[in-house]
Amino acid sequence: AHSLAWRPSLIQVLADVDKDGDGTLDFAEFLHLVRRIRELEQEARLAVELRTLEELHYAPQEVRDLRLLYLDALARFGGDALGMLPLEAVNNMLLEGIKNGKRHQHVIDAIFGSSL
């Protein structure tokens, strides 16, 4: 709720989860609230991702390969609670790939061709 654009959605979600309309949330209602906010955040991230994919014209296989590369980097180099990969981790991933060679060479070749 750091954005004014989210406020109408959050107000609606609060109204939806406050089943008895008493202006308070019991624990069950709170759990519904947290779940719905997470769903809204995921929907927003997915929408951004889909717009980006359309803009960059990636093929479905390229997206799958890049997602595997990204998830591997998250697991190996760490990310934040939202699954964001810090630039330092990207740098480490690239440096390791250069030093150690061929871990994801098939993905790199598919994206950049074998000219690298």
Side-chain angles (χ1 to χ4, degrees):
H2 300 289
S3 167
L4 289 177
W6 274 84
R7 284 194 183 173
S9 296
L10 290 176
I11 290 169
Q12 184 60 51
V13 168
L14 284 169
D16 291 345
V17 299
D18 183 15
K19 296 294 183 192
D20 55 12
D22 67 354
T24 63
L25 298 181
D26 62 26
F27 187 62
E29 291 169 329
F30 174 76
L31 291 175
H32 284 281
L33 172 69
V34 171
R35 170 65 64 185
R36 186 63 188 131
I37 289 172
R38 286 184 180 169
E39 289 170 353
L40 289 171
E41 289 172 340
Q42 286 177 328
E43 289 169 8
R45 280 194 300 270
L46 182 59
V48 168
E49 189 175 301
L50 289 174
R51 281 193 306 273
T52 303
L53 292 175
E54 288 175 11
E55 176 184 320
L56 298 175
H57 305 288
Y58 280 118
Q61 183 61 46
E62 290 175 308
V63 173
R64 283 189 292 276
D65 289 343
L66 289 169
R67 184 173 305 283
L68 289 174
L69 187 64
Y70 184 81
L71 292 173
D72 182 63
L74 278 176
R76 295 176 62 234
F77 300 107
D80 65 17
L82 297 175
M84 304 295 282
L85 191 61
L87 289 178
E88 182 179 352
V90 173
N91 186 49
N92 290 338
M93 177 182 67
L94 293 173
L95 287 174
E96 183 181 274
I98 291 167
K99 289 179 191 173
N100 297 330
K102 309 298 182 191
R103 181 178 174 95
H104 295 290
Q105 189 63 45
H106 68 286
V107 175
I108 293 167
D109 287 347
I111 297 166
F112 298 107
S114 58
S115 63
L116 292 179

